[in-house]
Amino acid sequence: EAGVAQSPRYKIIEKRQSVAFWCNPISGHATLYWYQQILGQGPKLLIQFQNNGVVDDSQLPKDRFSAERLKGVDSTLKIQPAKLEDSAVYLCASSLGVGGGSTDTQYFGPGTRLTVL
Amino acid sequence: DQQVKQNSPSLSVQEGRISILNCDYTNSMFDYFLWYKKYPAEGPTFLISISSIKDKNEDGRFTVFLNKSAKHLSLHIVPSQPGDSAVYFCAATVDSGGYQKVTFGTGTKLQVIP
């Protein structure tokens, strides 16, 4: 079974530029998550999709971040414009279920390391 | 508001001995707890979980203990192996009206010394 794919793996941009990340979850997984992990901290949930609908985006800085999940499968996360404090690893994860318990075990991609100069 | 806390940023243990990683939480509504392991340049991988109605769950060398009255859980690794060296995150979920909202701790870096 293929895992969660993310691209690019690394990205370096200047502040005020735009950047986009792509995620392909495990086939058949209903829920997709985007996390931001700043060095020395735990993953912070940015947005959670169930199929192609958003169920939680309470921690997404909506003035600069946007995300979509196309046809309930692939997803893109965009930052426009980027700030220095956006430097982090952006993790995508997916889970099979929506109801909690063991079906919500999340499978993570390798992440995209973003550096904003 | 950090609802899930891992107060030890790092831990060193001799190979063959027990590793104990701790996690404290503040939200009594959390209903499921998970541990993830993360190697450098990789995403976290699921290790073991426990429901809030249990107090212990065991899987091979890994055991998770939950003390609800103290709002504390711990991960025991026995015996510890060099390949266990990684960052360990605890996470907790709560039913938020049709979906599970997950919160991660800040992580503990475990080093197992051969």
Side-chain angles (χ1 to χ4, degrees), chain A residues 3-6 23 26 29 33-35 37 43 90-95 104-111, chain B residues 36-38 42-46 89 91 102 104:
Chain A
V4 176
Q6 287 188 250
C23 173
I26 293 174
H29 278 197
Y33 313 77
W34 281 103
Y35 291 89
Q37 186 179 11
Y90 290 84
L91 294 163
C92 178
S94 68
S95 65
D104 269 353
T105 299
Q106 296 180 35
Y107 297 85
F108 284 82
Chain B
Y36 285 83
K37 179 167 80 171
K38 185 181 183 304
E42 295 182 13
T45 56
F46 170 74
F89 293 99
V102 61
F104 279 82

Side-chain angles (χ1 to χ4, degrees), chain B residues 10-112:
Chain B
S10 63
L11 175 69
S12 287
V13 171
Q14 208 71 32
E15 180 180 4
R17 306 294 290 267
I18 184 171
S19 295
I20 301 176
L21 296 96
N22 294 304
C23 181
D24 296 297
Y25 61 95
T26 57
N27 188 347
S28 58
M29 299 301 292
F30 284 140
D31 53 17
Y32 209 74
F33 302 89
L34 309 97
W35 284 94
Y36 285 83
K37 179 167 80 171
K38 185 181 183 304
Y39 293 120
E42 295 182 13
T45 56
F46 170 74
L47 191 57
I48 192 169
S49 62
I50 187 167
S51 166
S52 61
I53 62 173
K54 302 257 177 102
D55 54 19
K56 178 182 174 181
N57 188 26
E58 194 171 352
D59 183 3
R61 296 185 298 112
F62 303 91
T63 304
V64 56
F65 295 92
L66 176 62
N67 182 334
K68 287 189 68 177
S69 60
K71 296 191 179 69
H72 177 83
L73 68 156
S74 61
L75 174 68
H76 292 210
I77 307 173
V78 183
S80 300
Q81 300 174 354
D84 297 329
S85 297
V87 177
Y88 289 78
F89 293 99
C90 68
T93 70
V94 60
D95 188 332
S96 294
Y99 74 97
Q100 290 290 103
K101 187 177 180 75
V102 61
T103 304
F104 279 82
T106 51
T108 297
K109 184 175 183 179
L110 173 66
Q111 182 185 22
V112 180

Side-chain angles (χ1 to χ4, degrees), chain A residues 11-51:
Chain A
K11 190 74 178 179
I12 300 173
I13 62 172
E14 307 235 330
K15 61 182 178 183
R16 290 187 291 273
Q17 285 187 321
S18 301
V19 65
F21 313 125
W22 173 82
C23 173
N24 181 233
I26 293 174
S27 178
H29 278 197
T31 306
L32 186 147
Y33 313 77
W34 281 103
Y35 291 89
Q36 179 193 59
Q37 186 179 11
I38 292 172
L39 188 64
Q41 299 182 18
K44 179 180 108 175
L45 179 70
L46 293 175
I47 189 166
Q48 181 174 342
F49 293 93
Q50 253 171 234
N51 297 307

